[in-house]
Amino acid sequence: MTGVSLPRKELFDIPEGVIYLDGNSLGVLPKGAVERAASVIQNEWGGQLIKAWNTAGWMALPQIVGNKIADLIGAPAGSVATGDTLSIKVYQALAAALKMRPDRRVILSDKGNFPSDLYMAQGLIDTIDKGYELQTPAPEDVAAAITKDVAVVMLTQVDYRSGRMHDMQAITKAAHAAGAVMIWDLAHSAGAVPVDMAASNAEFAVGCSYKYLNGGPGAPAFIYVRPDVVEGIKPALSGWLGHDAPFAMELTYRPAMSTERMRVGTPPILQLAVLEQALYAWDGVEMADLRAASIALSEKFIHEVETRCPQLTLASPRDPNVRGSQVSFEFENGYAAMQALIERGVIGDFRAPNIMRFGFTPLYLDEKDVVAAAEIIEDVIGNDIWRDPKYNIVSRVT
Amino acid sequence: MTGVSLPRKELFDIPEGVIYLDGNSLGVLPKGAVERAASVIQNEWGGQLIKAWNTAGWMALPQIVGNKIADLIGAPAGSVATGDTLSIKVYQALAAALKMRPDRRVILSDKGNFPSDLYMAQGLIDTIDKGYELQTPAPEDVAAAITKDVAVVMLTQVDYRSGRMHDMQAITKAAHAAGAVMIWDLAHSAGAVPVDMAASNAEFAVGCSYKYLNGGPGAPAFIYVRPDVVEGIKPALSGWLGHDAPFAMELTYRPAMSTERMRVGTPPILQLAVLEQALYAWDGVEMADLRAASIALSEKFIHEVETRCPQLTLASPRDPNVRGSQVSFEFENGYAAMQALIERGVIGDFRAPNIMRFGFTPLYLDEKDVVAAAEIIEDVIGNDIWRDPKYNIVSRVT
């Protein structure tokens, strides 16, 4: 089967005059989301009340959504559980991984990792309080740091600032060769680059669904567990919906016999329903096609911006094979410049201290958007528009 | 100021022909919820995209909702953080409490507690793996079990099956006298009975918002921390939104200087917005009035049911002072009888092995509802309607 052609802009509701290059932070609104939410609220919650857990299929929704995400990351059905936030899923994966290597004391990550992943590791280390150590070398030094002291290697595949991409296969292989467990954070991978969890052989992956998957603000997170290890895991966050028989109300926890044991509490039905709706946009999309489109857009963008704006320095890898679906530039006045761009409809984001970040989402972006964005960047930078003091008022940056 | 008169049925959207006695499991639909969700999705997410975190006030929403809940549980502004699920909040409170009493090894709960609370304690105990012990005496034996070995007493105030209510003041006092930390689970208390966290002096409380607070399926949970202890807490689940400067992207966790440190990941904006909408129904409600109405409804219900149905045995305390806002009856064929009731529009729920549970929510129930429900119960029980085999098909019970 050949995939559908990209982009599929007709599936999304994007404001007139906006070129949205921030789908790596919060994806756009899929059509049908409002109607789906309204139906869940009015017809299911309002009309069926408590019965809706069965009659409207709420009980099954986390698994349905998990299986759709599994499809997008090369994971088998039943191996992905949804719910909670990405930080919670990081904690679960880390706690499980440490139990799998009880004689080792090092958690290896890198200093390019998203801070919350590192914070969650720090919190777990403090909670266990048995001399665990979090190591965060530079990303390019991670492979060399995988020693036989390392219990778990925990990395975000695509760097949130630069877009630099770790080699999932090679690092997982190195981790396993050293006897370590591997956790991948797919926050900037799922829906952005082809991921083959099964082929990677990594034990765990975690991710969020509000970026490239367009699940909406605060959409639930997910966790993948390699099927052959799941039954050995005693979840740290052992909530009732990860119990083998949640409604038996037993006094002792017994984990479910699948990745469902990584579920915790009552699932956020409204967010899950909207996320499920958003995932329809992926029907028929071949990840290879998406990747080809992503690279074409990114390469075009780099070419256009570098040609027009010598003031900007590429902060992402030049080689598209080691770059995710975003492009970052360094610019000393990046904060002000980004505010000026946003005012002109080119929405990217800024990451301290000096990174202007642009995400490429081939589901709803085409080459015309990229060229138009580059023209506006040229105007803002080349004509010093960013110097207007109004762009330097720092509000809370998301 | 005197409170508004109850019920306020006009604020809710309840199906015709339904007498809903399960608001202690999933509250009803507040009017305005659909419109609020649609606006958040279409205008805020769709129209403002990533900017909505600031322009639509999403960043502030968890705190706004937390302060509204604080009002309902006698807690000061700023002392309640929202997000995640109740099970996660239990874990956070427990982990923090154990750190406050490093030389003690007992977590004291009771076997009437909601199983997920016990499961979370078990998961934490396994994670720390330093010989902690979870004790679960019968509810009436808890007070006597508070010894100087107890690090933390963790109880659900209102028993989810029987409605029996612990004496918050007395048990907290006993816990503190023994040097233990106190955690209250308010799942069946918030919006159901008057709660005065400040007066209780308990260090922690946790709760959910989809029961009496009508926040919708999977609505976010909350955690209260007594203001004088919050700065000593190093959160176990140390996510970026509990960081003092989440957007500074520091590599090391530094907790926020308030209960906000108990936040973890990106908040579920759709659920939070609907919950905020739901909380408007509490504007002007005096908890003393609500309690009086709740007791009147419950007493009337007990009287009507006992008069009409000698086959049912009251499983809740007869004294309303030690009973929450629910009434449970034991009936051997309770499962089938509840199915028959639900088919007739009287929605309560069933808790194994033999509990028929009815919740009383004075915001949207009046005496007429209670009498009408009792009449239908009389019909189902007195005329053996529950014996129809169709009511004995066990589907997944929520």
Side-chain angles (χ1 to χ4, degrees):
Chain A
M1 194 184 83
T2 55
V4 299
S5 69
L6 297 170
R8 317 180 76 181
K9 291 189 184 198
E10 70 282 5
L11 299 183
F12 300 93
D13 202 348
I14 301 170
E16 276 290 314
V18 164
I19 301 172
Y20 195 61
L21 304 178
D22 209 8
N24 51 332
S25 189
L26 175 68
V28 298
L29 172 61
K31 284 184 183 162
V34 171
E35 294 76 7
R36 178 68 185 271
S39 175
V40 169
I41 295 173
Q42 189 70 56
N43 304 329
E44 299 179 12
W45 173 18
Q48 302 167 47
L49 292 159
I50 187 69
K51 294 179 288 185
W53 285 103
N54 298 311
T55 54
W58 293 352
M59 281 311 298
L61 196 52
Q63 257 184 331
I64 289 169
V65 171
N67 285 338
K68 286 188 169 211
I69 293 173
D71 267 354
L72 294 174
I73 61 169
S79 66
V80 171
T82 56
D84 307 300
T85 63
L86 176 48
S87 294
I88 294 293
K89 292 320 191 198
V90 165
Y91 188 90
Q92 289 184 295
L94 259 184
L98 294 183
K99 287 280 187 196
M100 293 164 72
R101 298 294 181 273
D103 300 329
R104 299 184 176 202
R105 285 291 175 274
V106 173
I107 298 170
L108 177 64
S109 188
D110 70 46
K111 65 182 175 199
N113 203 348
F114 190 70
S116 200
D117 291 24
L118 305 179
Y119 301 162
M120 294 308 289
Q122 291 161 17
L124 178 62
I125 286 170
D126 286 345
T127 298
I128 301 177
D129 193 21
K130 285 183 180 169
Y132 282 95
E133 182 194 347
L134 173 64
Q135 295 180 356
T136 54
E140 58 272 22
D141 298 332
V142 165
I146 304 174
T147 66
K148 296 208 183 290
D149 297 327
V150 174
V152 51
V153 181
M154 173 186 71
L155 297 170
T156 297
Q157 186 190 18
V158 178
D159 186 292
Y160 76 104
R161 279 175 304 202
S162 69
R164 175 202 40 75
M165 190 156 58
H166 277 301
D167 183 334
M168 183 179 285
Q169 299 278 17
I171 290 185
T172 303
K173 203 169 160 190
H176 288 172
V181 176
M182 186 74 224
I183 301 172
W184 287 103
D185 180 338
L186 305 178
H188 293 265
S189 305
V193 297
V195 174
D196 191 339
M197 284 319 303
S200 81
N201 209 32
E203 287 85 353
F204 299 94
V206 295
C208 64
S209 66
Y210 47 77
K211 297 179 183 288
Y212 293 90
L213 301 183
N214 308 306
F222 65 87
I223 183 166
Y224 160 83
V225 184
R226 206 177 70 195
D228 65 301
V229 301
V230 75
E231 289 185 20
I233 292 169
K234 213 167 173 183
L237 302 176
S238 42
W240 70 312
L241 286 177
H243 194 283
D244 192 43
F247 298 100
M249 304 291 169
E250 298 170 8
L251 292 184
T252 303
Y253 181 75
R254 282 191 301 114
M257 294 308 289
S258 72
T259 306
E260 292 293 288
R261 72 179 58 189
M262 303 309 259
R263 287 177 58 189
V264 186
T266 303
I269 294 300
L270 307 187
Q271 307 265 176
L272 275 166
V274 169
L275 171 57
E276 193 205 2
Q277 187 66 37
L279 292 172
Y280 287 123
W282 293 92
D283 283 354
V285 173
E286 298 286 338
M287 286 307 294
D289 295 344
L290 185 102
R291 178 63 170 159
S294 159
I295 289 177
L297 293 173
S298 309
E299 292 283 282
K300 181 74 180 173
F301 184 74
I302 292 171
H303 173 75
E304 292 289 328
V305 171
E306 290 192 324
T307 306
R308 295 161 188 270
C309 306
Q311 303 89 333
L312 301 192
T313 307
L314 184 65
S316 295
R318 192 165 293 279
D319 177 1
N321 295 309
V322 293
R323 192 176 66 219
S325 202
Q326 69 172 76
V327 171
S328 298
F329 285 96
E330 290 177 7
F331 180 55
E332 197 183 344
N333 301 99
Y335 178 80
M338 188 55 77
Q339 301 314 304
L341 285 176
I342 290 170
E343 197 179 270
R344 284 156 183 76
V346 175
I347 303 181
D349 63 16
F350 173 78
R351 285 289 175 258
N354 64 347
I355 297 277
M356 298 175 72
R357 190 175 76 154
F358 304 93
F360 294 92
T361 47
L363 285 189
Y364 53 84
L365 284 176
D366 59 25
E367 191 179 298
K368 233 177 71 188
D369 296 320
V370 162
V371 174
E375 286 168 356
I376 294 170
I377 294 170
E378 180 181 15
D379 183 40
V380 163
I381 304 286
N383 295 322
D384 284 356
I385 286 174
W386 59 266
R387 288 190 192 274
D388 188 322
K390 73 175 172 177
Y391 300 124
N392 271 295
I393 297 162
V394 177
S395 62
R396 191 150 187 184
V397 183
T398 59
Chain B
M1 195 183 80
T2 55
V4 298
S5 68
L6 297 170
R8 318 179 76 180
K9 291 190 185 199
E10 71 281 5
L11 299 182
F12 300 93
D13 202 348
I14 300 170
E16 276 291 313
V18 164
I19 301 172
Y20 195 60
L21 305 179
D22 209 8
N24 50 335
S25 190
L26 175 69
V28 299
L29 173 61
K31 285 185 184 161
V34 171
E35 294 76 7
R36 178 69 185 271
S39 175
V40 169
I41 295 174
Q42 189 70 56
N43 305 330
E44 297 179 0
W45 174 18
Q48 300 167 46
L49 292 159
I50 188 67
K51 293 178 287 184
W53 285 103
N54 297 312
T55 54
W58 291 352
M59 281 311 300
L61 196 52
Q63 257 183 331
I64 288 168
V65 171
N67 285 338
K68 286 187 169 213
I69 293 173
D71 267 354
L72 293 174
I73 61 169
S79 67
V80 171
T82 57
D84 307 301
T85 64
L86 176 49
S87 294
I88 294 292
K89 291 320 192 199
V90 165
Y91 188 91
Q92 289 183 296
L94 260 183
L98 293 183
K99 288 278 186 197
M100 291 163 75
R101 298 295 181 270
D103 299 328
R104 298 184 176 203
R105 285 292 176 272
V106 174
I107 298 171
L108 177 64
S109 187
D110 71 45
K111 64 183 174 197
N113 203 348
F114 189 69
S116 201
D117 291 24
L118 305 179
Y119 301 161
M120 295 307 290
Q122 291 161 19
L124 178 61
I125 286 170
D126 286 344
T127 299
I128 300 176
D129 193 22
K130 286 182 179 169
Y132 282 94
E133 183 193 347
L134 173 65
Q135 294 180 356
T136 54
E140 58 273 22
D141 298 333
V142 164
I146 304 174
T147 66
K148 297 212 182 286
D149 296 326
V150 174
V152 51
V153 182
M154 172 185 73
L155 296 170
T156 297
Q157 187 189 17
V158 178
D159 185 294
Y160 75 104
R161 279 175 305 203
S162 69
R164 176 202 40 73
M165 191 157 56
H166 278 302
D167 183 335
M168 183 178 285
Q169 299 278 17
I171 290 186
T172 303
K173 203 170 161 190
H176 288 172
V181 175
M182 187 74 224
I183 301 172
W184 287 105
D185 180 338
L186 305 178
H188 293 266
S189 305
V193 298
V195 174
D196 190 340
M197 285 319 304
S200 81
N201 210 31
E203 287 85 352
F204 298 95
V206 295
C208 64
S209 65
Y210 49 76
K211 297 178 183 291
Y212 294 89
L213 301 182
N214 309 305
F222 64 86
I223 184 167
Y224 160 82
V225 184
R226 205 177 71 194
D228 65 302
V229 299
V230 74
E231 288 185 18
I233 291 170
K234 214 168 172 182
L237 302 176
S238 41
W240 70 312
L241 286 178
H243 193 283
D244 193 43
F247 298 100
M249 304 292 168
E250 298 171 7
L251 291 184
T252 303
Y253 181 75
R254 282 191 299 116
M257 294 310 288
S258 73
T259 306
E260 291 292 288
R261 70 179 58 188
M262 303 309 258
R263 287 179 56 190
V264 185
T266 303
I269 293 301
L270 306 187
Q271 307 265 174
L272 275 166
V274 169
L275 171 57
E276 193 205 1
Q277 187 65 37
L279 292 172
Y280 287 123
W282 293 92
D283 283 354
V285 173
E286 298 286 338
M287 286 306 295
D289 295 343
L290 184 102
R291 178 63 170 161
S294 160
I295 289 177
L297 293 173
S298 309
E299 292 284 282
K300 181 74 178 170
F301 184 73
I302 292 171
H303 174 74
E304 292 290 328
V305 171
E306 289 192 324
T307 306
R308 298 161 187 268
C309 307
Q311 302 91 332
L312 301 192
T313 307
L314 184 66
S316 294
R318 193 165 293 279
D319 176 1
N321 295 311
V322 293
R323 193 175 66 220
S325 201
Q326 69 173 75
V327 171
S328 299
F329 285 97
E330 289 178 8
F331 180 54
E332 198 182 340
N333 301 100
Y335 178 80
M338 188 54 76
Q339 301 314 304
L341 285 176
I342 290 171
E343 196 178 270
R344 283 156 183 76
V346 175
I347 304 181
D349 63 17
F350 173 77
R351 285 289 175 259
N354 65 347
I355 297 279
M356 298 175 71
R357 191 176 76 155
F358 303 93
F360 294 91
T361 46
L363 285 190
Y364 52 84
L365 284 177
D366 59 25
E367 190 179 297
K368 233 177 71 188
D369 296 320
V370 162
V371 175
E375 285 168 357
I376 294 169
I377 295 170
E378 179 180 16
D379 183 39
V380 163
I381 305 286
N383 296 322
D384 284 357
I385 286 173
W386 59 267
R387 289 191 192 271
D388 188 322
K390 74 174 172 178
Y391 299 126
N392 272 295
I393 297 162
V394 177
S395 62
R396 190 151 188 182
V397 183
T398 56

